[in-house]
mmCIF file of all heavy atoms in Angstrom:
data_model
loop_
_atom_site.group_PDB
_atom_site.id
_atom_site.type_symbol
_atom_site.label_atom_id
_atom_site.label_comp_id
_atom_site.label_asym_id
_atom_site.label_seq_id
_atom_site.Cartn_x
_atom_site.Cartn_y
_atom_site.Cartn_z
ATOM 1 N N MET A 57 -1.519 -6.476 9.733
ATOM 2 C CA MET A 57 -1.165 -5.596 8.651
ATOM 3 C C MET A 57 -0.677 -4.229 9.181
ATOM 4 O O MET A 57 -1.092 -3.822 10.260
ATOM 5 C CB MET A 57 -2.320 -5.373 7.683
ATOM 6 C CG MET A 57 -3.550 -4.837 8.318
ATOM 7 S SD MET A 57 -5.085 -5.127 7.389
ATOM 8 C CE MET A 57 -5.415 -6.856 7.728
ATOM 9 N N GLU A 58 0.264 -3.611 8.418
ATOM 10 C CA GLU A 58 0.766 -2.350 8.857
ATOM 11 C C GLU A 58 0.513 -1.239 7.858
ATOM 12 O O GLU A 58 0.466 -0.055 8.194
ATOM 13 C CB GLU A 58 2.283 -2.452 9.068
ATOM 14 C CG GLU A 58 2.674 -3.358 10.262
ATOM 15 C CD GLU A 58 4.158 -3.398 10.454
ATOM 16 O OE1 GLU A 58 4.866 -2.414 10.211
ATOM 17 O OE2 GLU A 58 4.690 -4.458 10.951
ATOM 18 N N ARG A 59 0.423 -1.594 6.552
ATOM 19 C CA ARG A 59 0.198 -0.568 5.549
ATOM 20 C C ARG A 59 -0.820 -1.092 4.559
ATOM 21 O O ARG A 59 -1.008 -2.286 4.439
ATOM 22 C CB ARG A 59 1.479 -0.231 4.803
ATOM 23 C CG ARG A 59 2.562 0.408 5.659
ATOM 24 C CD ARG A 59 3.837 0.601 4.826
ATOM 25 N NE ARG A 59 3.671 1.575 3.763
ATOM 26 C CZ ARG A 59 4.488 1.683 2.732
ATOM 27 N NH1 ARG A 59 5.512 0.838 2.589
ATOM 28 N NH2 ARG A 59 4.311 2.637 1.878
ATOM 29 N N GLY A 60 -1.440 -0.158 3.799
ATOM 30 C CA GLY A 60 -2.356 -0.535 2.735
ATOM 31 C C GLY A 60 -3.742 0.072 2.925
ATOM 32 O O GLY A 60 -4.107 0.398 4.083
ATOM 33 N N LYS A 61 -4.450 0.252 1.835
ATOM 34 C CA LYS A 61 -5.868 0.698 1.915
ATOM 35 C C LYS A 61 -6.707 -0.577 1.955
ATOM 36 O O LYS A 61 -6.800 -1.312 0.962
ATOM 37 C CB LYS A 61 -6.223 1.557 0.679
ATOM 38 C CG LYS A 61 -7.628 2.077 0.727
ATOM 39 C CD LYS A 61 -7.886 3.015 -0.404
ATOM 40 C CE LYS A 61 -9.324 3.510 -0.427
ATOM 41 N NZ LYS A 61 -9.760 4.113 0.883
ATOM 42 N N VAL A 62 -7.287 -0.831 3.102
ATOM 43 C CA VAL A 62 -7.981 -2.108 3.365
ATOM 44 C C VAL A 62 -9.454 -1.923 3.427
ATOM 45 O O VAL A 62 -9.955 -1.048 4.114
ATOM 46 C CB VAL A 62 -7.476 -2.715 4.697
ATOM 47 C CG1 VAL A 62 -8.127 -4.060 4.934
ATOM 48 C CG2 VAL A 62 -5.927 -2.929 4.640
ATOM 49 N N ASP A 63 -10.196 -2.748 2.652
ATOM 50 C CA ASP A 63 -11.643 -2.785 2.708
ATOM 51 C C ASP A 63 -12.098 -4.086 3.393
ATOM 52 O O ASP A 63 -11.659 -5.172 2.933
ATOM 53 C CB ASP A 63 -12.210 -2.695 1.263
ATOM 54 C CG ASP A 63 -12.083 -1.354 0.708
ATOM 55 O OD1 ASP A 63 -12.354 -0.347 1.397
ATOM 56 O OD2 ASP A 63 -11.669 -1.256 -0.501
ATOM 57 N N LEU A 64 -12.902 -3.944 4.428
ATOM 58 C CA LEU A 64 -13.373 -5.120 5.205
ATOM 59 C C LEU A 64 -14.904 -5.194 5.123
ATOM 60 O O LEU A 64 -15.553 -4.221 5.392
ATOM 61 C CB LEU A 64 -12.962 -5.002 6.662
ATOM 62 C CG LEU A 64 -13.505 -6.022 7.651
ATOM 63 C CD1 LEU A 64 -12.938 -7.404 7.335
ATOM 64 C CD2 LEU A 64 -13.174 -5.675 9.093
ATOM 65 N N PHE A 65 -15.373 -6.357 4.652
ATOM 66 C CA PHE A 65 -16.846 -6.546 4.509
ATOM 67 C C PHE A 65 -17.236 -7.644 5.430
ATOM 68 O O PHE A 65 -16.706 -8.777 5.421
ATOM 69 C CB PHE A 65 -17.172 -6.905 3.077
ATOM 70 C CG PHE A 65 -16.722 -5.917 2.061
ATOM 71 C CD1 PHE A 65 -15.486 -6.006 1.438
ATOM 72 C CD2 PHE A 65 -17.555 -4.805 1.702
ATOM 73 C CE1 PHE A 65 -15.086 -5.112 0.500
ATOM 74 C CE2 PHE A 65 -17.131 -3.908 0.790
ATOM 75 C CZ PHE A 65 -15.886 -4.050 0.166
ATOM 76 N N ILE A 66 -18.256 -7.361 6.304
ATOM 77 C CA ILE A 66 -18.767 -8.387 7.264
ATOM 78 C C ILE A 66 -20.237 -8.577 7.019
ATOM 79 O O ILE A 66 -21.024 -7.628 7.024
ATOM 80 C CB ILE A 66 -18.518 -7.932 8.706
ATOM 81 C CG1 ILE A 66 -17.004 -7.734 8.960
ATOM 82 C CG2 ILE A 66 -19.080 -8.964 9.698
ATOM 83 C CD1 ILE A 66 -16.718 -7.178 10.351
ATOM 84 N N THR A 67 -20.631 -9.798 6.824
ATOM 85 C CA THR A 67 -22.059 -10.184 6.654
ATOM 86 C C THR A 67 -22.430 -11.052 7.830
ATOM 87 O O THR A 67 -21.733 -11.987 8.218
ATOM 88 C CB THR A 67 -22.268 -10.998 5.345
ATOM 89 O OG1 THR A 67 -21.812 -10.230 4.226
ATOM 90 C CG2 THR A 67 -23.735 -11.278 5.144
ATOM 91 N N TYR A 68 -23.597 -10.710 8.433
ATOM 92 C CA TYR A 68 -24.059 -11.392 9.662
ATOM 93 C C TYR A 68 -25.449 -12.003 9.380
ATOM 94 O O TYR A 68 -26.335 -11.297 8.894
ATOM 95 C CB TYR A 68 -24.093 -10.369 10.811
ATOM 96 C CG TYR A 68 -24.838 -10.872 12.022
ATOM 97 C CD1 TYR A 68 -24.449 -12.020 12.706
ATOM 98 C CD2 TYR A 68 -25.941 -10.156 12.521
ATOM 99 C CE1 TYR A 68 -25.095 -12.437 13.824
ATOM 100 C CE2 TYR A 68 -26.609 -10.582 13.676
ATOM 101 C CZ TYR A 68 -26.194 -11.715 14.306
ATOM 102 O OH TYR A 68 -26.857 -12.150 15.395
ATOM 103 N N GLU A 69 -25.573 -13.282 9.670
ATOM 104 C CA GLU A 69 -26.901 -13.920 9.529
ATOM 105 C C GLU A 69 -27.242 -14.646 10.848
ATOM 106 O O GLU A 69 -26.395 -15.296 11.419
ATOM 107 C CB GLU A 69 -26.821 -14.964 8.401
ATOM 108 C CG GLU A 69 -26.567 -14.381 7.059
ATOM 109 C CD GLU A 69 -26.446 -15.386 5.951
ATOM 110 O OE1 GLU A 69 -27.490 -16.020 5.562
ATOM 111 O OE2 GLU A 69 -25.309 -15.693 5.523
ATOM 112 N N ASP A 70 -28.444 -14.396 11.305
ATOM 113 C CA ASP A 70 -28.961 -15.007 12.548
ATOM 114 C C ASP A 70 -30.158 -15.917 12.163
ATOM 115 O O ASP A 70 -31.167 -15.455 11.681
ATOM 116 C CB ASP A 70 -29.383 -13.931 13.510
ATOM 117 C CG ASP A 70 -29.716 -14.445 14.884
ATOM 118 O OD1 ASP A 70 -29.824 -15.654 14.990
ATOM 119 O OD2 ASP A 70 -29.801 -13.646 15.840
ATOM 120 N N PHE A 71 -29.961 -17.185 12.431
ATOM 121 C CA PHE A 71 -30.988 -18.160 12.027
ATOM 122 C C PHE A 71 -31.936 -18.515 13.203
ATOM 123 O O PHE A 71 -32.736 -19.466 13.110
ATOM 124 C CB PHE A 71 -30.335 -19.459 11.522
ATOM 125 C CG PHE A 71 -29.502 -19.202 10.308
ATOM 126 C CD1 PHE A 71 -28.116 -19.300 10.338
ATOM 127 C CD2 PHE A 71 -30.042 -18.848 9.053
ATOM 128 C CE1 PHE A 71 -27.313 -19.087 9.241
ATOM 129 C CE2 PHE A 71 -29.284 -18.598 8.006
ATOM 130 C CZ PHE A 71 -27.913 -18.719 8.032
ATOM 131 N N ASN A 72 -31.829 -17.776 14.300
ATOM 132 C CA ASN A 72 -32.757 -17.983 15.401
ATOM 133 C C ASN A 72 -34.187 -17.657 14.955
ATOM 134 O O ASN A 72 -34.412 -16.599 14.319
ATOM 135 C CB ASN A 72 -32.401 -17.112 16.577
ATOM 136 C CG ASN A 72 -31.169 -17.672 17.335
ATOM 137 O OD1 ASN A 72 -31.143 -18.814 17.628
ATOM 138 N ND2 ASN A 72 -30.212 -16.765 17.584
ATOM 139 N N GLU A 73 -35.130 -18.479 15.273
ATOM 140 C CA GLU A 73 -36.528 -18.169 14.930
ATOM 141 C C GLU A 73 -37.069 -17.074 15.804
ATOM 142 O O GLU A 73 -37.889 -16.241 15.399
ATOM 143 C CB GLU A 73 -37.392 -19.464 15.141
ATOM 144 C CG GLU A 73 -37.027 -20.556 14.113
ATOM 145 C CD GLU A 73 -37.924 -21.769 14.312
ATOM 146 O OE1 GLU A 73 -38.816 -21.728 15.178
ATOM 147 O OE2 GLU A 73 -37.715 -22.767 13.622
ATOM 148 N N ASP A 74 -36.616 -17.013 17.041
ATOM 149 C CA ASP A 74 -37.089 -16.009 17.970
ATOM 150 C C ASP A 74 -36.104 -14.834 17.990
ATOM 151 O O ASP A 74 -35.343 -14.678 18.932
ATOM 152 C CB ASP A 74 -37.155 -16.589 19.380
ATOM 153 C CG ASP A 74 -38.531 -16.667 19.876
ATOM 154 O OD1 ASP A 74 -39.392 -16.121 19.166
ATOM 155 O OD2 ASP A 74 -38.795 -17.248 20.943
ATOM 156 N N THR A 75 -36.083 -14.039 16.948
ATOM 157 C CA THR A 75 -35.156 -12.925 16.852
ATOM 158 C C THR A 75 -35.710 -11.662 17.427
ATOM 159 O O THR A 75 -34.992 -10.669 17.564
ATOM 160 C CB THR A 75 -34.665 -12.684 15.407
ATOM 161 O OG1 THR A 75 -35.814 -12.510 14.596
ATOM 162 C CG2 THR A 75 -33.903 -13.948 14.891
ATOM 163 N N GLY A 76 -37.030 -11.619 17.638
ATOM 164 C CA GLY A 76 -37.595 -10.378 18.107
ATOM 165 C C GLY A 76 -39.074 -10.608 18.484
ATOM 166 O O GLY A 76 -39.684 -11.666 18.253
#
Side-chain angles (χ1 to χ4, degrees):
M57 57 200 77
E58 294 183 31
R59 297 175 68 197
K61 182 174 177 56
V62 180
D63 289 314
L64 173 66
F65 303 92
I66 300 175
T67 304
Y68 168 59
E69 296 177 75
D70 189 346
F71 300 110
N72 284 311
E73 294 181 2
D74 246 350
T75 56

